[in-house]
Structure formats: structure tokens, C-alpha cells
Amino acid sequence: VHTGHLVSVVDLLATFVFAVQGGLAAGLAGLDAFGVLVVAFVTAVGGGVVRDVLIGAVPPATFRSSVYPLVVLGGGAAVVLLFGAVREVPPSVLVPLDAAGLALFAVVGAAKAVDHDLRPLLAVLLGAVSAVGGGVIRDLLLQQVPLVLRSEIYAVAALTGAGAAVIGLRAGLPRAVALGLGALACFALRLVAVRNGWNLPRLA
Amino acid sequence: VHTGHLVSVVDLLATFVFAVQGGLAAGLAGLDAFGVLVVAFVTAVGGGVVRDVLIGAVPPATFRSSVYPLVVLGGGAAVVLLFGAVREVPPSVLVPLDAAGLALFAVVGAAKAVDHDLRPLLAVLLGAVSAVGGGVIRDLLLQQVPLVLRSEIYAVAALTGAGAAVIGLRAGLPRAVALGLGALACFALRLVAVRNGWNLPRLA
Amino acid sequence: VHTGHLVSVVDLLATFVFAVQGGLAAGLAGLDAFGVLVVAFVTAVGGGVVRDVLIGAVPPATFRSSVYPLVVLGGGAAVVLLFGAVREVPPSVLVPLDAAGLALFAVVGAAKAVDHDLRPLLAVLLGAVSAVGGGVIRDLLLQQVPLVLRSEIYAVAALTGAGAAVIGLRAGLPRAVALGLGALACFALRLVAVRNGWNLPRLA
């Protein structure tokens, strides 16, 4: 299997998962069908769009192809049409799917920043922004303090994965290996943290 | 009358209307005179600025001319100086004015995206972003769930108008005809929906 | 002393102050150590990033150097490690520090916009955006109506300082003199307003 194709397929899968998750949150918050589609869209593409705007890659990649919008509309429409069923999907399925999306977006975003000649520390930051940005916009629209600021090891996992990927790329590892290791680190840390109820301590 | 001039005049009128409407919302929310000006500004130019940033047309058009800021300041100052009168303007006047602004921003935004070679589906999305973006920022600043996400046919009207305009442009209609038809579709749908209390159903 | 170096040192100092202030607000809002670092980061660099995106200077300056992220992390880490001490720093110290940061960001932002050939009125606006933008994002993330929209002479001071700097630059004053006068005007207006409890009147 060609690596590029593999990444694209997983990237689209992650986009779909994030769209479903955003649409589900919007439906549970009492929005109508259109609001669900809008929130699904910003959740799925928001992080990547912010990243592309910040590195000057405009129009953003998601705005240059019709595939992403169609995948997002598909995810949002699935929530609208199957809301009764989707809301019953248990966390034991949703959390690993979300962690997979988080991991992939983090390493792909970090790699894109490295490709645009950003310094390593900033590439790690932009990878994490790619991964968590859509969720932040979702929470702002739904008037909730962003999940990433509440007490869970979420952005920390994204930073860990992006950091491992950037270190791997700088060390000269093959791209697929560097990104794979980074994604695995993020995915594993997130799942272990959820399973064990790990949280960082509050200050006040 | 030259078409370009006609569009410019109506565009400025729509900017003025959105500035008044944003400033009115800010005043009713208890902000001071300066806050009213700020909210009037972001309501009137926010959607267009987000669109221009996304398509890479920076500095945004509204930041390259002094006319837009002056029109916005005029609208905001009118709210500050005539607040007692402006707050008494009935919905039967405000709603059609707002719908006209929505319609114009939607078709002008979609046409600009087409000019920048975006695909049709994305041009429609960016047209709607141009039309509703300022209102979303206004609502976020005032700590309200954005109107566009609550149950009203608002963004749907913007998408309809932008979609009709893009179809017309792709079909080779003269620019003024394509944009005029799109704006009319958006305006009519919005007014009919308000008059009849049309809403999309909630999911939960 | 070379002027450019002086500006850079003061700019980094202002960045550090804004990071500490944002982190402190996040800690008091009950966020964990990571949330404090995130809010410190967006507070310190948010205004400049928005300015750079709007004038098309991407990747933003703060993303091209590793110095800014390190200074921000230093400020955020200081809040995390010394939270008990930092929360006791009295307003008589914090307010002048914050006013100094506001003043410097306003004039540096305005000068950058002038360098990018923006018209004077828009350069003043962008200077103010540079100065208050980070705080707006901080307040949105913490689910508070932005300070700049509540009743205090904060953005007015930033606009005054940016305006004085732009007038000075257009009048041909040496850069250091124009920026110094603008910063002084902003700083003094802000401190006098706080000391005397000046506020603009609400409309409703």
C-alpha cells in the first residue's frame, strides 16, 4: 500500500469521526439539523484551517478539494438522520475513535508545519493546534469552556504525539515511521489517561 | 447605472445596516459607547474579513480602503447618539434591512470566492460565511449562542442565495443577473421564513 | 543603545507580562497547569498573530522565532510554580505592568501596519487589535465577556497610543520618538483612568 494513500484514507476517516462527534455534541445541545451540520463542519476542519492560515497555506487544503466538505456533510447528515442510534454509541467506541483522530491530526499537522520550514518547537505547537483547534471552536460556539482547558490529558497527548513525530523527522526516520510513532504515542497516552482517570492538578 | 457602482453602493448600505444592528445589540447588552463601536465594527466587517483571510486575499478588502471603517463608525455613532430612537425601530423595518444585507453579502462573497478559483461547493460555503460570520463574532463577544446556530432559517437562506449565484455564474449568466437572482432568493426565503415562523426541527 | 534592540527587549518584557497575567487569570478560573500554559500563550501572542494574519505577514512573527514561545512558557511556568506568590501581587504592581504591555503592543503593532502600507486609520485599528486581541481571546476561552467590551478605558487607551504613533510617523518624527510618544500617551491615559475610576457611560 502506498503511504500517501494510507495517510489520506486515515485522514478522511479522522475527519469523518470528528464531524460525527461535533454533530453529536451540537444535537445534544439542542441545535436544529442545520446547526448540527455547521458544528460538525467546524469541528472537523477548524483545526486544519487555523493551522493553514497561520503558516500562510491559503486557501486552506480543506477548501481546495470537494472531498473534505462531502465527508463532513456525510458525517453531519449521519448524525441528523440516525440521531437516536448515534447518541447510544458508548464511550468505549467513541473515545478510541476520537483518540485516533486526535493522534492523526497532530502528526499530520506537525509534518505540514515542518514542510513549511517552521522551527521544531513551533511545528509541535501547530500540530497540537491542528488536533485540538476544531474542538475549541465547537465548544466556543456551544458556549462551553473548551474541553482542552478543562482537566483532561487531551492537548498534552496531542503535544506528545506531535513532538515525537517532529523528533523522528529531524532524526531522519522515514516519514511513515516518524508519523506512525508519534500517532501511537498520542493515541496510547490519551487512552491510558482516560482509563486511569489521570488529570493534571488545578491551581486554585 | 454602472453595475459595479450599483453593487458598491448597496454593499456599503448593507455594511451600514449590519453596523447599526450590531451596535444596537451591544447597547441592549449593556455595553458602553466604545463597546458599541467595537461590536458594530466586527458585526459589519467580520464575515468579509474571515472570507478574505481564508481565500488568501490579505490585507482584507475592508482594510485597504478608509471608506468601510468610516461607514461602520457612522453606523455605530448613529446608535450611540440616537440610542433612544434606534431601539424603537420596529422589526418590520429591521428584519427586511437585515435580510437585504444578508442576501447581498452572501452573493458578493460567493462571487469573490469564484473569482479566486475555489470550487463551486466551497464558493457557496464562503458566501454564507461572508454573510453570517460577522453575526457569529458579535454573538460570541456578547456571550450568546450564535443566532445562526439557534432555530431560524438564517444561514440556510444565505446558503440558498450563494448557491443560486454560483449556479448562475457557472451557467454563464451575466454577473449582475446571477448575483441579483441569488440575492432575491436569499431575501425572499428569509422574509417568508420569518413571516411564517418557519424553523428546522431540533434533534434533542 | 541601539533602538531596535531596545524595542525588542521591551517587546519581550511585555510578552512575558501578558503571559503571566493570562496564566494568572486561568489559574484563578480553576484551570489545571496545562490550561494555564495555553491561556498564557494565547494572551501573550494572540493579538500579534491576529494582526499578522490580517496584514498577510504569515507565518506570524511569533511563529518564526523560538524566543517568543520560550518567553511565554517561562511566564506561564512561573505562574504554575509560584501560583501562591503570583496571586498575591497587588494591583498597584500589575496594573502599571499591564498598561506598559498594552502601550508597547499598540505602538509596535501600528508601526508594523504602517510598514505594510496600510492607511493611517487602519494602522491605528490594527495597533489596537495587536494590543487588546490576546486579552479578548483569553476572555472568550474563559467564558467571560471581554474586558475590552466592559466599562473601562482600555481599548480607548490603545487607540490613543496607536493614533499618536501613526501621527508621529506620518509627521516624519524619528521612529523611536513617534513610538515613544504614542506609548507614553497610552500608558498615561490608562493609569489616570484607573486611578480616577473613569468609565464611559452605558447606553442601556
Side-chain angles (χ1 to χ4, degrees):
Chain A
V1 178
H2 189 280
T3 313
H5 288 177
L6 183 62
V7 167
S8 294
V9 168
V10 188
D11 192 31
L12 284 171
L13 183 63
T15 301
F16 183 82
V17 169
F18 271 33
V20 169
Q21 189 216 49
L24 186 58
L28 293 174
L31 299 188
D32 63 24
F34 183 77
V36 166
L37 290 179
V38 171
V39 175
F41 188 78
V42 300
T43 306
V45 312
V49 167
V50 170
R51 176 202 61 212
D52 287 351
V53 166
L54 289 179
I55 63 180
V58 285
T62 34
F63 281 27
R64 267 182 257 152
S65 142
S66 290
V67 176
Y68 284 94
L70 290 173
V71 166
V72 170
L73 285 178
V79 173
V80 170
L81 298 174
L82 308 169
F83 190 68
V86 173
R87 69 189 303 180
E88 301 299 334
V89 176
S92 62
V93 175
L94 279 183
V95 167
L97 275 177
D98 180 59
L102 185 78
L104 188 92
F105 279 174
V107 298
V108 169
K112 186 160 187 180
V114 168
D115 292 343
H116 277 74
D117 291 324
L118 267 78
R119 286 158 189 274
L121 183 58
L122 297 159
V124 174
L125 279 176
L126 279 175
V129 165
S130 307
V132 308
V136 169
I137 301 176
R138 173 199 65 211
D139 291 341
L140 287 179
L141 290 176
L142 298 178
Q143 293 285 299
Q144 300 167 352
V145 172
L147 169 64
V148 72
L149 293 181
R150 297 195 306 263
S151 291
E152 283 195 62
I153 297 192
Y154 194 76
V156 170
L159 283 169
T160 303
V166 169
I167 290 172
L169 289 172
R170 301 268 297 184
L173 291 184
R175 195 175 174 91
V177 174
L179 299 196
L181 287 176
L184 198 62
C186 173
F187 183 74
L189 175 55
R190 173 69 184 148
L191 286 196
V192 171
V194 169
R195 183 173 302 261
N196 295 307
W198 283 353
N199 273 317
L200 298 172
R202 295 181 176 212
L203 299 189
Chain B
V1 180
H2 188 279
T3 312
H5 288 177
L6 183 61
V7 167
S8 294
V9 168
V10 187
D11 192 31
L12 285 171
L13 183 63
T15 301
F16 183 82
V17 169
F18 272 32
V20 169
Q21 189 215 49
L24 186 58
L28 293 174
L31 299 187
D32 63 24
F34 183 78
V36 166
L37 290 180
V38 171
V39 175
F41 188 77
V42 300
T43 305
V45 312
V49 166
V50 170
R51 176 203 61 213
D52 287 351
V53 166
L54 289 178
I55 63 181
V58 286
T62 35
F63 281 26
R64 267 182 257 151
S65 143
S66 290
V67 176
Y68 283 93
L70 290 174
V71 165
V72 170
L73 285 179
V79 172
V80 170
L81 298 174
L82 309 169
F83 190 67
V86 172
R87 69 189 302 179
E88 302 300 334
V89 176
S92 62
V93 174
L94 279 183
V95 168
L97 276 177
D98 181 59
L102 185 78
L104 188 91
F105 279 174
V107 298
V108 169
K112 186 159 187 181
V114 168
D115 293 344
H116 277 74
D117 292 324
L118 267 79
R119 286 159 189 273
L121 183 57
L122 297 159
V124 174
L125 279 175
L126 278 176
V129 165
S130 308
V132 308
V136 169
I137 301 176
R138 174 199 63 210
D139 292 341
L140 287 179
L141 289 176
L142 298 178
Q143 294 285 298
Q144 299 167 352
V145 173
L147 168 65
V148 73
L149 292 181
R150 297 195 306 262
S151 292
E152 284 194 62
I153 297 193
Y154 193 77
V156 170
L159 284 169
T160 303
V166 170
I167 290 173
L169 289 172
R170 302 269 298 185
L173 290 184
R175 196 176 173 89
V177 174
L179 299 195
L181 287 176
L184 197 63
C186 173
F187 183 75
L189 176 55
R190 173 69 185 147
L191 286 196
V192 171
V194 169
R195 183 174 302 262
N196 296 306
W198 283 353
N199 273 317
L200 298 171
R202 294 180 176 213
L203 300 189
Chain C
V1 179
H2 188 281
T3 312
H5 288 177
L6 182 62
V7 167
S8 294
V9 168
V10 188
D11 192 31
L12 285 171
L13 182 64
T15 301
F16 183 82
V17 169
F18 272 33
V20 169
Q21 189 215 49
L24 185 58
L28 293 174
L31 299 188
D32 64 23
F34 183 78
V36 166
L37 290 180
V38 170
V39 175
F41 188 77
V42 300
T43 305
V45 311
V49 167
V50 170
R51 176 203 61 212
D52 287 352
V53 166
L54 289 179
I55 63 180
V58 286
T62 35
F63 281 26
R64 266 182 259 152
S65 144
S66 290
V67 176
Y68 284 94
L70 290 175
V71 166
V72 170
L73 285 179
V79 172
V80 170
L81 297 175
L82 309 168
F83 190 67
V86 172
R87 69 190 302 180
E88 302 299 332
V89 175
S92 61
V93 174
L94 278 184
V95 168
L97 276 177
D98 180 60
L102 185 78
L104 188 92
F105 279 175
V107 298
V108 169
K112 186 160 188 181
V114 168
D115 292 344
H116 277 74
D117 292 325
L118 268 78
R119 287 159 188 274
L121 183 57
L122 296 159
V124 174
L125 280 175
L126 278 175
V129 165
S130 308
V132 308
V136 169
I137 302 176
R138 173 199 66 210
D139 292 340
L140 288 179
L141 290 175
L142 298 178
Q143 294 285 300
Q144 299 168 353
V145 172
L147 168 65
V148 71
L149 293 182
R150 297 196 305 264
S151 292
E152 284 194 62
I153 296 192
Y154 194 77
V156 169
L159 284 169
T160 302
V166 169
I167 290 172
L169 289 173
R170 301 269 296 184
L173 291 184
R175 196 175 173 92
V177 174
L179 299 195
L181 287 176
L184 197 63
C186 173
F187 183 75
L189 176 56
R190 173 69 184 148
L191 286 197
V192 171
V194 170
R195 183 174 300 263
N196 295 307
W198 284 353
N199 272 317
L200 298 171
R202 294 181 175 212
L203 299 189

